[in-house]
Amino acid sequence: MRVEILGCSGGIGGNGMRTTSLLVDGDILIDAGTGVGDLSLQRLAAIDHVFITHAHLDHIACLPLMIDSVGDMRSTPLTMHATPETLEIIRKHIFNWHIWPDFSVIPTPEQAFLRFATIEPGQTVRIGQRSITPLPAAHTVPAVGYHLRNDVSGASLAFTGDTSTCPPLWSALNQIGQLRHLIIEAAFANGERELALLSKHLCPSLLLDELQQLQSRPEVWVTHAKPGQLQQIADEIAAGSGPHRPRMLESGSILEC
């Protein structure tokens, strides 16, 4: 299983700053942030499934545009997987004929460009030889992370999505065998710890505290840093203690399981 990091920034601003999106084996997206916009039409058309963590714009910005761009190049609908709460938000506020057309009924309801599929935490979706299971998360809107498993090798990658402190997340992560990679956020520097708590994000000190609950030793990758605080966040993580030694994730990275 090959996971390409299309975007992992908490914002935009040049120098490879793209918001959240992970491309799995060329046909599955985890979130659809601005990093998706760098893909060619052919690569966009090859994506069959999009799993959304939550409805915030930095995680869905390119979803309406990619459907519009390649819907007529595909013979089957693109399937968007989300919890019922997230799906309702996206249908009400994006695919509503005011912000964007409802591609779940065009060009015709019988041959639409987009199909919605509901998921629930703990409910596994199997696509080929890969399993995708939503993980608990705690954010300002309904949100999940995802556990990606290579069913051949048994190796796994977990992505927390946007989250604050969340004990059920760590319980779920500690049940994953062969967890090779953990992608977890730290949106703010330590000087804005209170803002991180208010907006239900993590900062380096919160992240390092949370990681003490992780029993396995995967590679830990830090994502979603605000562009203007990126270096400070990286420095504060590097100065922290603990056995996991997180590193900053970069767009263009390839993680394999």
Side-chain angles (χ1 to χ4, degrees), residues 13-98:
N15 297 321
M17 297 293 180
R18 306 287 189 272
T19 67
T20 304
S21 188
L22 287 63
L23 182 62
V24 183
D25 294 335
D27 65 331
I28 299 172
L29 274 180
I30 308 297
D31 281 339
T34 61
V36 177
D38 292 329
L39 296 176
S40 67
L41 283 174
Q42 290 70 27
R43 295 191 75 192
L44 288 172
I47 296 168
D48 293 324
H49 300 269
V50 181
F51 288 80
I52 300 296
T53 59
H54 66 290
H56 280 163
L57 189 60
D58 55 328
H59 294 254
I60 66 166
C62 277
L63 178 62
L65 296 172
M66 68 176 287
I67 296 167
D68 193 26
S69 296
V70 300
D72 60 351
M73 298 172 61
R74 297 176 47 81
S75 59
T76 58
L78 175 74
T79 301
M80 190 200 87
H81 304 261
T83 63
E85 297 85 357
T86 296
L87 194 153
E88 180 181 2
I89 294 169
I90 291 174
R91 295 197 74 163
K92 181 178 180 180
H93 296 290
I94 302 296
F95 297 107
N96 58 9
W97 295 103
H98 297 284

Side-chain angles (χ1 to χ4, degrees), residues 153-223:
S153 70
S156 290
L157 175 149
F159 171 49
T160 69
D162 288 8
T163 192
S164 184
T165 58
C166 183
L169 169 64
W170 300 102
S171 296
L173 291 174
N174 286 333
Q175 295 176 32
I176 298 174
Q178 297 189 53
L179 180 60
R180 291 189 181 174
H181 301 282
L182 171 61
I183 302 174
I184 187 167
E185 68 130 281
F188 297 98
N190 286 334
E192 295 190 340
R193 179 185 173 104
E194 293 306 313
L195 178 57
L197 289 168
L198 178 65
S199 58
K200 293 194 174 182
H201 282 289
L202 296 174
C203 63
S205 61
L206 288 169
L207 169 60
L208 293 169
D209 286 346
E210 288 291 287
L211 282 172
Q212 294 182 31
Q213 301 175 64
L214 183 61
Q215 296 170 3
S216 59
R217 295 291 181 267
E219 296 282 348
V220 178
W221 304 97
V222 180
T223 185

